[in-house]
């Protein structure tokens, strides 16, 4: 993306503490753009549980059409205590990921300065890797059904769908990313080839074929169960991981806790194609019980804003945000847990702006 055009960002605060943390992400985004002379235009979109309960709408077509014109969305959180689980997740979050064909779920796993990890004796230099999760296929496609539902003979199927195109574009992106990251230059495929002998055979063959185009990148393989063990025992081993949607969902929660938890971890849902709409989000949910109390940790949302800048071609502004986050986590915050930070949600945003 060109760096000298205006940066247009759609902000979807969503549910619970989502709007509070998104506001801090936006505050830092605005401050960083000002310092870096980036013209920024933002617009708030009212989507989520409240709107659904009032109007029955989750993602109206007109809103989708408007969002389509933005290269980037900053998302707060999705999930409302008065809405049955799955409705908003499927109708909004997964809908946006699928309809915008955001086929990369990028999850940097970096232990920031001053942030506590549950791994004994580990520090920031040990935990710094990236998970590239495929984001449009696998068990997330919603294919399957019931037979004889509600009877003792009930059958339920839930299909995992993998396509050559789907895995190849994700794997290729992960190789490019590993090359650009330029650390260990090692890409680990995480799958379960010993059991999922069709779908993950496709992934395995595609991974090895694409690898030929990247002779400078070292290839590596972990079964997903072993990967979980290694991540806890030797997190420093990993550089970049590429994996399927469902396994990626699971291992990024494990990875998220290693980097200090949901108050810190952020992710990008990326459509890397020209004109693609990408979406950046903190990993923590809507945390209803903390809503409106100014106690939730906005670092993850600020982290998401930094990722958004990087994705939109503003690497320098992004680096500035990441540095400022670490100044604040390293020297100003007591903890990353909600209510125990030693300051409020809005103060954390202010502190990061000061540190920029
Ligand atoms: C995530 C979340 C989502 C997922 C849920 C909320 C549908 O857990 O972003 O990892 O499973 O992808
Ligand atoms: Mn998840």
């Amino acid at each position: 993306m060109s760096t000298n055009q205006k940066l247009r960002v759609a902000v979807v605060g969503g549910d619970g503490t989502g709007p509070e943390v998104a506001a801090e992400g936006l505050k830092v985004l605005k401050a960083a753009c000002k310092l870096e002379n980036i013209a920024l235009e933002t617009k708030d979109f009212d989507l989520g549980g409240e709107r659904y309960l009032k109007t029955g709408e989750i993602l109206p077509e007109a809103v989708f059409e408007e969002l389509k014109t933005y290269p980037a969305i900053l998302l707060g959180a999705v999930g409302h205590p008065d809405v049955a689980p799955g409705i908003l997740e499927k109708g909004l979050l997964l809908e946006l990921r699928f309809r915008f064909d955001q086929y990369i779920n990028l999850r940097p796993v970096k232990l920031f300065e001053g942030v506590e990890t549950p791994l004994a004796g580990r520090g920031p230099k040990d935990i710094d890797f990236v998970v590239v999760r495929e984001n449009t296929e696998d068990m997330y496609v919603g294919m399957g059904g019931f037979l004889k539902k509600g009877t003792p003979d009930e059958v339920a199927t839930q299909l995992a769908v993998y396509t050559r195109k789907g895995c190849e574009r994700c794997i290729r992106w992960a190789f490019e990313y590993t090359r650009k990251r330029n650390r260990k230059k090692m890409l680990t495929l995480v799958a379960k080839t010993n059991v999922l002998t069709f779908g993950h055979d496709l992934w395995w063959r595609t991974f090895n074929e694409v690898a030929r185009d990247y002779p400078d990148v070292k290839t590596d393989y972990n079964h997903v169960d072993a990967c979980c063990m290694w991540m806890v025992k030797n997190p420093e081993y990993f550089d970049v991981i590429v994996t399927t949607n469902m396994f990626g969902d699971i291992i990024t929660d494990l990875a998220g806790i290693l980097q200090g938890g949901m108050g810190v971890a952020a992710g990008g849902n990326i459509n890397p194609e020209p004109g693609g709409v990408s979406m950046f989000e903190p990993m923590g949910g809507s945390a209803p019980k903390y809503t409106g109390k100014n106690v939730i940790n906005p670092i993850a949302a600020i982290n998401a804003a930094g990722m958004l800048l990087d994705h939109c071609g503003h690497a320098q502004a992004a680096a500035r945000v990441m540095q400022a986050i670490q100044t604040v986590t390293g020297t100003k915050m007591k903890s990353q847990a909600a209510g125990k930070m030693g300051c409020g949600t809005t103060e954390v945003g202010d502190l990061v702006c000061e540190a920029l």
Side-chain angles (χ1 to χ4, degrees):
M1 208 165 293
S2 154
T3 48
N4 42 25
Q5 73 195 32
K6 194 195 272 176
L7 174 61
R8 297 178 65 250
V9 177
V11 181
V12 179
D15 299 315
T17 51
E20 288 171 64
V21 296
E24 299 314 304
L26 188 57
K27 190 194 270 179
V28 173
L29 186 66
K30 281 184 179 156
C33 284
K34 200 165 172 204
L35 289 166
E36 293 284 331
N37 283 314
I38 301 161
L40 174 70
E41 175 196 318
T42 66
K43 182 174 172 180
D44 274 307
F45 286 81
D46 172 28
L47 295 169
E50 291 298 333
R51 179 165 182 169
Y52 173 66
L53 290 170
K54 250 183 263 150
T55 68
E57 296 169 321
I58 300 186
L59 181 60
E61 211 41 42
V63 176
F64 177 78
E65 286 302 319
E66 196 182 346
L67 285 174
K68 222 189 216 171
T69 69
Y70 286 83
I73 301 171
L74 183 63
L75 179 70
V78 172
H80 193 290
D82 300 334
V83 180
I87 295 190
L88 297 168
E89 289 85 346
K90 234 180 155 165
L92 189 54
L93 182 65
L94 298 180
E95 185 77 3
L96 288 168
R97 287 180 182 172
F98 275 77
R99 288 187 69 186
F100 284 132
D101 203 21
Q102 294 164 341
Y103 59 85
I104 301 297
N105 189 315
L106 181 65
R107 286 278 293 104
V109 184
K110 185 173 161 61
L111 182 63
F112 291 141
E113 289 299 333
V115 175
E116 216 175 305
T117 175
L119 294 186
R122 296 295 195 170
K125 65 175 188 337
D126 301 310
I127 300 169
D128 188 356
F129 62 95
V130 176
V131 180
V132 177
R133 161 186 173 192
E134 200 287 323
N135 212 28
T136 59
E137 302 197 332
D138 205 348
M139 275 184 269
Y140 279 79
V141 296
M143 284 172 80
F146 298 110
L147 189 64
K148 302 182 187 173
K149 190 175 178 186
T151 74
D153 297 328
E154 177 161 358
V155 178
T157 59
Q158 191 87 48
L159 276 183
V161 174
Y162 307 98
T163 68
R164 169 72 196 209
K165 179 182 154 188
C167 67
E168 182 170 346
R169 65 185 183 174
C170 174
I171 288 167
R172 196 168 283 286
W173 194 89
F175 271 103
E176 290 287 339
Y177 185 89
T178 308
R179 178 181 272 173
K180 264 194 244 129
R181 179 171 151 93
N182 200 20
R183 298 276 178 89
K184 280 189 178 182
K185 282 209 185 177
M186 181 179 79
L187 181 60
T188 303
L189 171 65
V190 169
K192 188 80 183 172
T193 53
N194 54 348
V195 175
L196 306 181
T197 51
F198 309 118
H200 290 200
D201 183 67
L202 176 61
W203 268 75
W204 170 254
R205 281 182 285 116
T206 306
F207 180 75
N208 288 301
E209 275 172 42
V210 174
R212 288 189 214 129
D213 295 337
Y214 300 87
D216 52 321
V217 176
K218 191 170 166 245
T219 56
D220 179 48
Y221 176 81
N222 272 191
H223 287 319
V224 65
D225 44 355
C227 169
C228 291
M229 294 198 310
W230 292 124
M231 219 182 250
V232 171
K233 190 168 183 293
N234 294 105
E236 75 288 352
Y237 173 79
F238 295 104
D239 181 15
V240 182
I241 288 173
V242 64
T243 190
T244 55
N245 202 349
M246 182 54 88
F247 288 170
D249 177 47
I250 298 165
I251 68 170
T252 54
D253 263 29
L254 174 59
I257 210 73
L258 301 187
Q259 77 183 108
M262 296 303 156
V264 180
N269 302 274
I270 297 175
N271 177 333
E273 309 297 329
V277 179
S278 298
M279 178 165 74
F280 298 84
E281 50 171 336
M283 299 302 289
S286 55
K289 69 174 176 183
Y290 296 124
T291 303
K293 299 200 162 95
N294 197 39
V295 296
I296 197 79
N297 188 347
I299 289 290
I302 298 169
N303 188 1
M307 291 179 72
L308 184 155
L309 281 168
D310 195 47
H311 171 74
C312 292
H314 302 291
Q316 200 172 301
R320 214 162 162 158
V321 170
M322 295 310 177
Q323 192 50 54
I325 288 177
Q326 297 214 63
T327 303
V328 173
T329 57
T331 65
K332 311 267 182 190
M333 294 172 77
K334 287 208 182 99
S335 155
Q336 298 302 311
K340 296 181 183 156
M341 302 185 293
C343 49
T345 306
T346 52
E347 285 80 63
V348 174
D350 294 340
L351 286 169
V352 177
C353 288
E354 268 167 46
L356 281 172

